[in-house]
Amino acid sequence: MSDKASHTESQARTALAECRSLFENKLHDYGASWRILRPSSLTDQLFIKAKRIRSLETKKKSLVGEGIRPEYIALINYGIIGLIQTELGCADNTDMDNTTALRHYDRLAEDTLQLMLRKNHDYDEAWRSMRLSSYTDFILTKIQRIKEIEDHEGETYVSEGVDSNYMDIINYALFGLIKMAEQEHSI
């Protein structure tokens, strides 16, 4: 692995650890209440998070006082929840204990990170030359694709499935967290 790739992996693991910590704390507070989310509701939750990022990028001001960073974290955590829900389906109640939820989270976060590292190798770190606003637009595009797949009841002719789109959303949000951390450290 090159030094560049190793650095990217380290940065991504640091960002994922922050996301996991929040996920674990919310599990403590709420349990796996997200298990009741149907696919369309989860997609809408991702949509409002990405739409808020775009709104803040455009308006350059938050009246709520929270910035873009928490929204990237939410996109990552809801994306991983989406992967869990894709595998298990939604439930009528909270049917998963916190330990099991974290085990699913860790496995799917690692799978998604490994996909990012493979793509990062092939694309030669192109994401580092992109604008943060492009990540937002790509995330919104992925969400729109998920909506279309849901409207087609999961059937696609040539496209990747919902899970691939969740992984891409997670990885674009990871890139956003990494870039924001780099910008904060350069100030």
Side-chain angles (χ1 to χ4, degrees):
M1 182 182 301
S2 73
D3 287 343
K4 256 190 332 187
S6 180
H7 182 61
T8 296
E9 180 175 356
S10 174
Q11 289 177 301
R13 286 192 184 281
T14 298
L16 280 171
E18 179 184 358
C19 296
R20 186 193 190 276
S21 177
L22 180 62
F23 184 84
E24 185 174 19
N25 288 336
K26 287 196 175 201
L27 273 176
H28 174 270
D29 292 350
Y30 307 125
S33 58
W34 44 264
R35 287 287 294 133
I36 67 169
L37 287 173
R38 291 177 286 181
S40 58
S41 299
L42 184 55
T43 303
D44 286 344
Q45 183 65 16
L46 287 165
F47 176 75
I48 64 171
K49 297 299 182 183
K51 197 70 171 157
R52 183 164 186 275
I53 292 171
R54 189 168 178 163
S55 173
L56 292 174
E57 288 171 346
T58 303
K59 295 174 185 171
K60 310 262 189 257
K61 182 179 180 182
S62 168
L63 296 183
V64 177
E66 295 176 352
I68 292 172
R69 184 174 185 71
E71 303 301 349
Y72 278 135
I73 293 169
L75 284 166
I76 291 165
N77 285 341
Y78 278 112
I80 293 172
I81 288 169
L83 291 170
I84 296 169
Q85 296 294 79
T86 298
E87 280 187 1
L88 304 179
C90 64
D92 289 331
N93 53 47
T94 304
D95 64 348
M96 183 182 294
D97 63 53
N98 294 358
T99 302
T100 303
L102 284 170
R103 194 168 47 248
H104 284 292
Y105 184 99
D106 291 341
R107 177 178 52 83
L108 292 164
E110 184 63 27
D111 289 351
T112 303
L113 175 63
Q114 291 305 315
L115 173 67
M116 184 270 281
L117 294 173
R118 290 190 305 274
K119 285 184 172 185
N120 194 41
H121 171 272
D122 290 357
Y123 288 93
D124 199 27
E125 303 251 334
W127 66 272
R128 290 192 179 274
S129 299
M130 293 169 56
R131 297 173 187 94
L132 281 170
S133 60
S134 293
Y135 304 149
T136 306
D137 292 348
F138 291 156
I139 289 168
L140 284 164
T141 299
K142 296 293 181 178
I143 293 166
Q144 186 60 42
R145 289 177 180 178
I146 291 169
K147 286 181 178 187
E148 292 293 329
I149 293 169
E150 288 171 352
D151 290 347
H152 295 274
E153 298 180 10
E155 290 186 34
T156 60
Y157 291 143
V158 296
S159 302
E160 298 172 318
V162 169
D163 55 339
S164 294
N165 285 288
Y166 284 139
M167 287 180 155
D168 287 345
I169 290 167
I170 294 164
N171 285 328
Y172 283 123
L174 264 177
F175 294 154
L177 284 177
I178 292 169
K179 270 208 150 171
M180 289 184 82
E182 288 177 341
Q183 288 171 354
E184 289 168 10
H185 286 107
S186 69
I187 294 175

